[in-house]
Amino acid sequence: MDDVDAVQAQISRNMLDSGDWVTARLDGIAYLEKSPLKYWMIASAFKVLGVHDWVARLPVALSAVLLCWLVYRMGAWAFSERAGMYAGLALATCAGLFLFTRIQIPDVTITATIALALWAFLRALDPDEARPGGWSAVMAASIGTGLLLKGLIAAVFPVAAALLFLGFTGEWRSRETWRRLHVFRGILLALAIAAPWHILATLRNPPYFDFTMHSGPGEYRGFFWFYFFNEHLLRFLNLRYPRDYNTVPRLYFWLFHLLWLFPWSVYLPATIKLNYGRVDRAARMRLLCLCWAGFLLLFFTFSSTQEYYSMPCYPALALLIGSALTEKRASGWIRQGHVALAVVATLALAAIGFILSQVWSLPAPGDISRALTQHPEAYTLSLGHMGDLTMASFAYLKTPLLLAAAGFLIGAISALRAKVLGKVFGTVVMMVLFIHAARIALVAFDPYLASRPLAEALNRAPHGTLILDDQYYTFSSVVFYAEAYHGQRVLLLNGRVNNLEYGSYAPDAPRDVFIDDAGFRDRWLSENLYYICVESPQVERLERLVSREALHPVIESGGKFVFRNRG
């Protein structure tokens, strides 16, 4: 898709082409804000399997599988085989894990490193564990790997959760605790994994050190300041520039977890009945999960946050739910959860029935973009495009609606009539159908959220110079799929904004990437062949710049156009 999805894949491709695995670049501009491991994984997959979109998705897909298996193993170790299975299934089929693994973001992978680090922490302290030193090394290696995935939170979250756990249990006072954790050795191991890239990135992108607490346009202070101060500290304080992100209101941020963990969130109240105070393995795991999820949610309550930032707490909540589903003391609350699930599934089924009754006879010409509205002010949130839906747009989604309805019917019946095991697997079947319905819906949205047809038209057309209107992200999938322009810089019309703005002021940044209206007009009216990708609402602006007659259409798809300057 356009936006961050194709950007991550293209950066990885650029790394593979250039051989520079230290400094990420996009259109020749240094892209300094993110850690590199996700790029390394995608680029390595490209090298082995070739450059394809499905190859770019392998690291995220495999990370999701690994995470669900890891949660199953953690639950089986701490509670029981059945509780572990329930926890793994709850995570694998919750709405949030599906939603936030559709795009190329490393959150599912960082979630796996955090979960592994905290399991290793608990195992290192377990009195029955024969090799605590090995598990403490696993914890350190997981933290070091996480630092290369998404920065300092990879250490902050597991360390803070572990310290809270030690504080609540009083084990911080014991010398044996620190002996088993091998703290000094762990720090060295984590640094050995994470420090080399940070040092190289600092040396290759000077100035080396700057501690300014101000972020503004036109200022370039190298990698160290941008990565550690702008991207970590100032983002946390909501003072980062450019402010190309939004933040979810705090109340919604908390309440949305009922959606992200749906349908298993109906069992969250039952976790109140669990025992967190005993010293057995199960109670210790529950207490750790409480510290884990609690700290993370509080952390983002005081920070700028996107909907998916809290994904690292999903495993903790899934483990608590898996434990509750197998605990007799929570059975009364679990029964109430079954009733709540039956009610929600029935209401969802009724809503789908109503929508289908309204759109069944409506035509669905062309692609779904014809029936959507646009709310660009919301697109800085990861689910901002959900507001673009209209009733007419559901005419393009009849098949996924029917599939989802079948899932909710199965879920409602199993929640009311089956035994506990049957209810769990009925819920799993409901979510498998619902997730596949959502996948089919995403296929229908593809022309609107992606620009592959534009790229394919450019591949067939005579070769020229490619211009993207607005920022690179708007048409990032064009660059990924336009093989005819691979290795050639594209021009950005008024696109010196957001993620490429900071790197554009670096001393070695190319000066021929960004053009303004005057530069566009001069080029467009010249004898050379140019193409421009533009969204439908901006076509009128281009007509005012160069006249309608000078815009020769090549293709229109998903509310986006490609024009060329010569017929």
Side-chain angles (χ1 to χ4, degrees), residues 452-474:
R452 184 171 186 168
L454 276 61
E456 291 171 343
L458 286 165
N459 287 333
R460 295 189 298 267
H463 193 273
T465 300
L466 180 59
I467 303 172
L468 307 181
D469 184 48
D470 199 17
Q471 58 177 310
Y472 185 101
Y473 274 45
T474 307

Side-chain angles (χ1 to χ4, degrees), residues 164 271 276 285-295 316-317 320:
L164 284 172
T271 62
Y276 299 89
M285 175 62 85
R286 294 187 202 110
L287 179 59
L288 179 62
C289 288
L290 210 59
C291 297
W292 172 0
F295 175 81
L317 298 175
L320 291 176

Side-chain angles (χ1 to χ4, degrees), residues 75 94 100 230 270 278 293 309 316 327 334 368 372 400 406 484 517-518 528:
C94 71
F100 303 132
N230 205 48
R278 292 199 310 247
Y309 279 10
E327 285 286 327
I334 292 295
I368 197 171
L372 297 171
D517 286 350
N528 298 320

Side-chain angles (χ1 to χ4, degrees), residues 520-563:
F520 166 71
R521 190 174 188 279
D522 291 342
R523 287 171 172 80
W524 199 257
L525 299 180
S526 71
E527 292 300 314
N528 298 320
L529 180 60
Y530 285 90
Y531 296 91
I532 186 167
C533 301
V534 60
E535 292 184 300
S536 180
Q538 301 301 320
V539 172
E540 186 177 342
R541 176 178 61 84
L542 294 186
E543 290 175 349
R544 292 196 299 269
L545 282 174
V546 296
S547 81
R548 179 176 301 180
E549 292 73 21
L551 296 172
H552 301 277
V554 176
I555 187 175
E556 185 274 331
S557 175
K560 292 160 284 191
F561 291 85
V562 173
F563 294 106

Side-chain angles (χ1 to χ4, degrees), residues 182-308:
H182 297 279
V183 175
F184 182 70
R185 186 192 69 180
I187 292 173
L188 292 179
L189 179 56
L191 287 176
I193 294 171
W197 172 77
H198 290 85
I199 293 170
L200 280 173
T202 300
L203 292 175
R204 292 192 184 181
N205 298 277
Y208 300 142
F209 299 108
D210 192 307
F211 304 95
T212 306
M213 287 295 291
H214 173 266
S215 181
E219 301 171 350
Y220 183 79
R221 301 191 178 102
F223 165 81
F224 179 86
W225 175 86
F226 189 73
Y227 183 81
F228 287 104
F229 281 77
N230 205 48
E231 287 303 307
H232 283 82
L233 183 58
L234 296 180
R235 181 188 279 270
F236 177 81
L237 297 173
N238 206 17
L239 298 175
R240 172 189 181 267
Y241 180 88
R243 199 180 187 284
D244 55 350
Y245 57 93
N246 209 329
T247 188
V248 180
R250 301 300 183 266
L251 179 61
Y252 290 161
F253 173 70
W254 280 74
L255 291 178
F256 277 165
H257 287 85
L258 299 176
L259 295 176
W260 309 151
L261 292 166
F262 177 83
W264 309 97
S265 52
V266 298
Y267 302 116
L268 278 174
T271 62
I272 297 172
K273 301 295 291 184
L274 298 176
N275 193 314
Y276 299 89
R278 292 199 310 247
V279 294
D280 64 5
R281 182 183 289 177
R284 288 166 65 80
M285 175 62 85
R286 294 187 202 110
L287 179 59
L288 179 62
C289 288
L290 210 59
C291 297
W292 172 0
F295 175 81
L296 192 145
L297 292 172
L298 284 174
F299 178 90
F300 283 121
T301 298
F302 297 100
S303 169
S304 60
T305 182
Q306 292 271 2
E307 299 98 320
Y308 56 85

